[in-house]
C-alpha cells in the first residue's frame, strides 16, 4: 500500500486526520490478516474486486471462508468500514493512475 500518497490524497479530499488513520489501519489489517496480501498487487490484478467480494454481507460469504485464520470482525456491522476503506483506496489508485497518464 502506498500509505504516504494515500494519506495525502485523503487530506486533499478533506478527510479528517482521525479518519485517515482509521482507514490506513484497516487496510494494513486487511493486508496482514488475508495471507499478507498486497493491496497494490490486488489492484493491479483485478482492481480489488476479489477483496471487495470477501467483505460483502459483513464477510459472511464464500470468498471470506478462503481465509479461515483471518482475525476480522466477520458478521459484525463494522465489517462495512473495511469495505469502505478498500473502496477509498481503489478510488485513490484510479485517480492517481489517470493523473500519471
Amino acid at each position: 500500500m502506498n500509505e504516504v500518497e494515500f494519506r495525502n490524497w485523503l487530506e486533499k479530499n478533506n478527510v479528517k486526520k482521525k479518519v485517515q488513520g482509521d482507514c490506513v489501519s484497516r487496510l494494513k489489517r486487511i493486508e496482514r490478516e488475508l495471507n499478507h496480501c498486497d493491496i497494490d498487487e490486488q489492484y493491479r490484478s483485478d482492481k480489488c474486486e476479489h477483496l471487495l467480494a470477501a467483505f460483502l454481507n459483513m464477510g459472511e460469504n464464500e470468498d471470506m471462508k478462503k481465509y479461515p485464520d483471518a482475525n476480522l470482525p466477520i458478521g459484525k456491522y463494522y465489517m462495512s468500514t473495511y469495505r469502505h476503506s478498500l473502496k477509498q483506496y481503489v478510488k485513490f489508485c484510479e485517480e492517481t493512475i489517470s493523473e500519471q497518464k
Side-chain angles (χ1 to χ4, degrees):
M1 170 179 46
N2 191 340
E3 182 180 342
V4 174
E5 285 186 35
F6 182 52
R7 281 183 185 268
N8 291 338
W9 180 83
L10 288 169
E11 190 168 329
K12 187 176 85 175
N13 286 285
N14 301 316
V15 175
K16 294 179 180 170
K17 288 259 189 237
K18 167 79 171 106
V19 177
Q20 290 174 29
D22 292 347
C23 194
V24 168
S25 292
R26 286 185 196 107
L27 293 173
K28 285 181 177 181
R29 185 170 180 190
I30 290 169
E31 286 185 323
R32 185 177 61 248
E33 295 295 336
L34 301 185
N35 296 337
H36 299 283
C37 73
D38 180 333
I39 291 178
D40 290 319
E41 186 60 40
Q42 292 289 322
Y43 179 80
R44 285 189 287 277
S45 128
D46 68 355
K47 296 199 181 338
C48 294
E49 288 300 319
H50 171 73
L51 284 179
L52 288 166
F55 286 86
L56 281 173
N57 197 32
M58 295 181 290
E60 293 181 330
N61 59 63
E62 292 305 309
D63 289 309
M64 187 59 82
K65 286 180 183 174
K66 295 174 185 171
Y67 307 102
D69 298 330
N71 183 17
L72 292 165
I74 295 170
K76 305 283 191 228
Y77 172 76
Y78 48 89
M79 274 295 276
S80 62
T81 62
Y82 289 85
R83 187 171 162 79
H84 177 73
S85 295
L86 270 171
K87 285 182 172 181
Q88 288 289 92
Y89 196 77
V90 168
K91 191 174 176 184
F92 155 73
C93 289
E94 288 170 348
E95 287 185 19
T96 304
I97 289 170
S98 68
E99 287 174 2
Q100 292 173 352
K101 290 182 179 178

